[in-house]
Structure formats: structure tokens, C-alpha cells
Amino acid sequence: MAARKKSAETEREPSRAAGGCVLVVLAGAALAGVFAASTEAGILTLWVVAAGALWRAARKKMPDAANPAPPPGSTPLSEAEEAGHGGVRVERRDGMLVLYDLSEEIHFTVSDGEVNQA
């Protein structure tokens, strides 16, 4: 009885990658056969298969984990945080753009292409 349990535990299922490799080899051999019969038919077959694969990938529904919703009760981001400017305050005055880095208290002034640290 112990020998049966041991042999059942050591047996493995074939991997999905191995099955995929076998399918790729078989598809390649079939495509080579089509190319051998007619170059134009081989090219047309290749285009049809590529278009079908592209269409299938575009129609595939994405899993929910790929685009998670924000957790319940979270506060919405401000405009600066959404734009990737967290900790930066922006002011416009007299043709200048003044950026205030709130994390390090360093101030930059941009005027006519010149950047000045204040």
C-alpha cells in the first residue's frame, strides 16, 4: 500500500508549457507544408493567423485583478496628485511659472526658458 502512495505522489502532470511547445512545432510544420505548396498561400495563411490572434487578444476580457478598483472609503486624489505632482505647488504670475517643492522647501522659478533656484 505504501508503494502505491509513493508512486502516485512522484507522478507529475505534464506541464502546460510542454503542450504549448508541441502545438507550436505542429503549427510550424503545417505552415512549412503550406509554404512548400505555394509561397502566396503560405503568406496569406500567415497573415490570416496573425490577424486572428490579434483579434482574439483584443476581444479577450481582462481579469478584474488587472484593473483593481480603489478600496472603499479611500479619499479621491487631488488634481496635482493625479498629474504626478504630489508635494508640488504651481503658481503662474507675470508670464512666469513658479514651482514650490513642498517636501524640501526649495523654490524654482521658470522665466523665458531660464530656471532659477530661489
Side-chain angles (χ1 to χ4, degrees):
M1 180 110 177
R4 285 186 190 172
K5 284 184 179 179
K6 209 177 235 187
S7 66
E9 289 175 3
T10 57
E11 290 180 19
R12 295 187 201 174
E13 284 187 32
S15 70
R16 295 181 75 180
C21 289
V22 169
L23 289 177
V24 167
V25 168
L26 291 175
L31 186 61
V34 172
F35 264 103
S38 170
T39 305
E40 291 83 11
I43 292 171
L44 182 62
T45 302
L46 194 60
W47 274 97
V48 168
V49 169
L54 183 62
W55 179 81
R56 183 174 185 260
R59 300 281 299 173
K60 187 175 182 180
K61 185 177 183 322
M62 294 297 293
D64 290 335
N67 190 10
S74 65
T75 58
L77 299 175
S78 68
E79 288 183 17
E81 290 173 333
E82 285 182 4
H85 298 291
V88 176
R89 186 169 51 110
V90 178
E91 288 183 9
R92 295 179 189 277
R93 49 185 167 157
D94 300 327
M96 293 188 303
L97 180 67
V98 181
L99 305 174
Y100 295 101
D101 184 357
L102 302 177
S103 63
E104 297 179 11
E105 296 298 325
I106 299 173
H107 306 291
F108 294 97
T109 305
V110 179
S111 175
D112 296 327
E114 296 179 11
V115 178
N116 302 316
Q117 183 175 357

